[in-house]
Amino acid sequence: MFNIEEELKKLPAKPGVYIMHDSHDDIIYVGKAISLKNRVRQYFQSSRNLSPKIVQMVSRIARFEYIITDSELEALVLECNLIKEHRPKYNTMLKDDKTYPYIKVTVNEPFPRILLSRKMKKDKARYFGPFTSSLAVKDTIELLQKIYKIRTCHRALPKDIGKDRPCLYFHIHQCGAPCQGYVSQEDYSVSVKGVLGFLNGNYGQVEQMLTDRMMEASEKMEYEKAMEYRDLLKSVRHVAEKQKITSSQMEDRDIIAFARADDEAVVQVFFVRGGKLIGREHFYVTGVGSDSRTEVMTAFVKQFYAGAPFVPKELLLQEPIEDEDVIIQWLSAKRGQKVTIRVPVRGRKERMVELAYENASLVLAKDSEKIKREEAKTIGAVKNIADMLDIPSIVRIEAFDISNISGYENVGSMIVYENGKPKRNAYRKFKIKSFTGQDDYRSMKEVLTRRFTHGLEERRTLEMKQGDFSMGSFSSFPDLIMMDGGRGQVNIALEVLDELHLDIPVCGMVKDDNHRTRGLYYHNVEIPIDKDSESFKLITRIQDEAHRFAIEYHRNLRGKTQVRSILDDIEGIGPARRKALLRHFGEIGKISTASVEDLAAVDTMNENAARSVYKFFHQNEPARKV
């Protein structure tokens, strides 16, 4: 048994990372400390200076562990890695885990290539970016191939010159084929210089070159070639327009600001490379409800740059960050050069940060509207259903359905919706075991009995272990059960619940003659629903999802057993009689509706075999005599 008071006494006064676990042994928080002894003990002292989120986290701690490091910098790196790996519930979390594309020019090779790369390696190649769109990177590479005829292949040159035929790019005029010796290394180097100049933002030289070539081709009346150069020129100007000058000092910097609402924040990052704004991207951060602005910015910077392959020379931030000296040391080590962090308060840099904030606010406002619409479709719809049925509150809804074909491979489905959204990891499948043949009521009784019997057994086990009911597969019980049908299905469910001494509201999802949802059957009354309401749409979604899940399971089982026949399950029917029946009737459906007389008339069949087949397909009907 973990004794927190005793373990607190053993904490060392050294830098490191501490890891908090709950009663399920899940990691719920990761933090770093200059002194583990001082930092971890603070959580278990007076809660006056702790945020509500941390107070809640502390109440769930069952045990903690720690890892000692040599320095605070090592602790920072380890903390970032552990947060990214485990995504603890109470850490402020960056939701996006994107990798950005770069343009890589392999200047370390005799005949450099131009490639898309998602990682920056210490391989002496030149990297440009990051870009926010891989499509933009591909378009730029294609443009440079057309202008400068640079290769993209993986051939080892000059060693492999002349060993193989030129590739397609040579034939479509996007590569000069250095692999054939058609381009000297000196001429190829001139083209590479042009590529590097373009990627560094020197568009004027390329524009002039293409303009001259276009005019020359036009004068020679080579109009097709002139149109080619015209199109290239348009593409270059398009790229140039997208990269706005933000500074004449040619620096690399990221500009970061955020807007927040409730428990979520949107962080906007502007990427400036070589003094040009090459792109922007927004990110979502969750769990910020009671965090200070400084804490939000600190969490973002640590998590974003832990996974970023490129660190710019300067970060312009909207808010100051905690542990700034250590973070600067960490970022400088990643970059290989000194990195500076600034919070500008006036001038052009402050205006850029303000612009990033305005962009973040716009995204957040747009998302807030989307969230409101989503809540109306989910939480709002559930609340309306609760009001309609006079139930205090509904969080979890379970719906059940049965699927079979003429009683073959009876299966049941259980789907779960929480707060109006499907919780797919809680869905369950049931293969009917107690009988064969078609009887939906009997099948549903077995499914419900198994579901809630398992749940009660799990609850007893968890109570003995003092565990949370949410730990089990079946121990979380619904606030409402929805049956795919009316009075009959509801009565079956109520009968099972009564036998197990459970009190859970049950309603039926009633359909009209066209198999469309019509209303709810509850307490022996059918309640009509406004077909334009969100609650009606939610009920329809639940009904359709229960049906889909049951049919999908049934289809999978049929797929696994498609080499056998339903007739194999009938006593007295072997391979010879099965073939004879199928040859005579053509399909299972006709066999299932045939009379005993018709079945007995089939070659190899007798009266007993015919009765077995008839009985299998008509479980609840008496067989007629021949």
Side-chain angles (χ1 to χ4, degrees), residues 486-503:
R487 182 194 301 264
Q489 294 281 19
V490 170
N491 287 340
I492 288 291
L494 291 171
E495 183 184 327
V496 171
L497 295 173
D498 188 53
E499 287 174 3
L500 297 173
H501 308 292
L502 292 173
D503 183 17

Side-chain angles (χ1 to χ4, degrees), residues 63 321 516:
R63 72 179 185 90
I321 57 174
R516 293 176 300 198

Side-chain angles (χ1 to χ4, degrees), residues 46 70 86 153 202 235 278 287 323 369 399 415 422 442 481 488 597:
S46 170
D70 288 333
H86 297 289
C153 67
N202 186 2
S235 297
I278 67 164
D323 308 315
E369 289 301 314
I415 67 160
R442 193 173 168 189
I481 296 172
E597 293 93 331

Side-chain angles (χ1 to χ4, degrees), residues 225-291:
K225 192 177 282 188
M227 287 171 64
E228 224 176 277
Y229 289 130
R230 182 202 62 190
D231 292 342
L232 289 173
L233 192 57
K234 279 184 183 175
S235 297
V236 169
R237 285 172 179 164
H238 179 67
V239 171
E241 283 169 12
K242 287 174 72 176
Q243 299 196 354
K244 299 173 184 175
I245 299 287
T246 65
S247 170
S248 59
Q249 297 173 356
M250 304 297 286
E251 69 276 85
D252 295 340
R253 63 163 60 110
D254 287 351
I255 300 159
I256 305 173
F258 69 88
R260 64 192 289 178
D262 300 324
D263 198 43
E264 188 167 81
V266 171
V267 183
Q268 182 79 52
V269 182
F270 288 164
F271 302 108
V272 177
R273 300 294 179 263
K276 297 179 178 65
L277 179 62
I278 67 164
R280 64 182 184 180
E281 191 63 85
H282 63 267
F283 302 86
Y284 295 92
V285 179
T286 57
V288 303
S290 57
D291 290 353

Side-chain angles (χ1 to χ4, degrees), residues 573-585:
I573 303 300
R577 282 176 173 164
R578 181 187 69 196
K579 287 178 185 176
L581 285 166
L582 288 169
R583 188 164 50 245
H584 182 86
F585 290 101

Side-chain angles (χ1 to χ4, degrees), residues 7-178:
E7 295 300 324
L8 286 173
K9 295 174 185 177
K10 300 175 186 176
L11 285 163
K14 292 183 177 181
V17 172
Y18 52 92
I19 305 162
M20 305 299 196
H21 295 256
D22 64 10
S23 58
H24 310 161
D25 211 32
D26 293 330
I27 293 174
I28 58 173
Y29 191 78
V30 173
K32 72 164 186 65
I34 301 173
S35 169
L36 287 165
K37 182 176 183 178
N38 295 340
R39 184 73 188 96
V40 177
R41 287 170 69 89
Q42 287 174 3
Y43 288 104
F44 300 95
Q45 293 168 355
S46 170
S47 63
R48 282 178 300 177
N49 298 323
L50 299 177
S51 68
K53 181 175 79 172
I54 297 300
V55 170
Q56 188 183 50
M57 182 271 291
V58 171
S59 71
R60 292 176 177 265
I61 296 173
R63 72 179 185 90
F64 61 79
E65 58 180 319
Y66 53 88
I67 302 168
I68 298 170
T69 59
D70 288 333
S71 65
E72 190 182 359
L73 176 60
E74 281 187 21
L76 173 71
V77 174
L78 181 58
E79 177 198 32
C80 290
N81 291 336
L82 289 173
I83 288 173
K84 187 173 182 179
E85 181 182 354
H86 297 289
R87 304 191 69 80
K89 180 178 179 178
Y90 289 98
N91 281 94
T92 300
M93 290 302 306
L94 172 62
K95 285 172 71 173
D96 308 73
D97 192 17
K98 299 171 181 165
T99 56
Y100 290 95
Y102 290 78
I103 293 177
K104 175 180 179 179
V105 184
T106 59
V107 293
N108 51 318
E109 297 176 343
F111 289 89
R113 296 169 292 152
I114 178 169
L115 310 166
L116 182 150
S117 175
R118 291 194 179 268
K119 289 184 180 178
M120 286 185 71
K121 300 176 182 176
K122 294 182 179 178
D123 53 6
K124 298 183 181 177
R126 287 283 301 278
Y127 290 86
F128 298 86
F131 297 91
T132 53
S133 165
S134 57
L135 184 61
V137 170
K138 289 171 184 173
D139 287 346
T140 303
I141 290 174
E142 187 178 338
L143 175 63
L144 290 170
Q145 281 181 279
K146 288 176 179 176
I147 297 171
Y148 292 106
K149 312 290 190 287
I150 299 295
R151 74 186 184 108
T152 58
C153 67
H154 295 281
R155 296 179 184 178
L157 303 182
K159 186 178 77 172
D160 290 343
I161 287 178
K163 286 188 177 180
D164 208 345
R165 289 180 297 174
C167 68
L168 177 65
Y169 286 110
F170 168 72
H171 296 292
I172 62 173
H173 312 297
Q174 290 188 21
C175 178

Side-chain angles (χ1 to χ4, degrees), residues 189-236:
S189 296
V190 172
S191 296
V192 171
K193 275 186 184 176
V195 168
L196 296 174
F198 182 92
L199 293 172
N200 279 315
N202 186 2
Y203 307 120
Q205 188 177 340
V206 182
E207 287 185 53
Q208 188 60 53
M209 177 189 74
L210 292 173
T211 303
D212 292 344
R213 289 183 183 178
M214 181 179 67
M215 297 306 293
E216 185 183 340
S218 182
E219 286 170 8
K220 291 180 179 178
M221 291 189 288
E222 295 173 344
Y223 299 120
E224 199 170 312
K225 192 177 282 188
M227 287 171 64
E228 224 176 277
Y229 289 130
R230 182 202 62 190
D231 292 342
L232 289 173
L233 192 57
K234 279 184 183 175
S235 297
V236 169

